[in-house]
Amino acid sequence: MATGDTTDARRWEYTTYAPKGERCSACLRPIRSLERVHRASTPGPPGPAAAVYRHTACPAEHG
């Protein structure tokens, strides 16, 4: 597995609510208001880390 791969469930930092306008990093669908998601950070090329969000039960991961 590549370093920084956010598809690895062990890398999710915590469950939270995403800011308005975010999309799931797996299925790319919009994340609804007050929908719980997993959050992780990815290294930003020469800048600060960026947050990524994924549905807790993402359809892309469960077929």
Side-chain angles (χ1 to χ4, degrees):
M1 183 167 302
T3 302
D5 185 0
T6 60
T7 60
D8 182 357
R10 295 170 294 178
R11 302 200 47 91
W12 295 113
E13 296 167 355
Y14 51 87
T15 301
T16 187
Y17 301 99
K20 184 177 181 178
E22 291 291 335
R23 292 185 172 267
C24 176
S25 64
C27 68
L28 303 177
R29 293 179 183 165
I31 297 171
R32 295 185 315 252
S33 176
L34 300 178
E35 181 176 13
R36 289 178 44 172
V37 293
H38 296 296
R39 181 196 186 278
S41 296
T42 59
V52 293
Y53 301 93
R54 183 166 298 172
H55 296 110
T56 55
C58 182
E61 291 180 345
H62 301 289

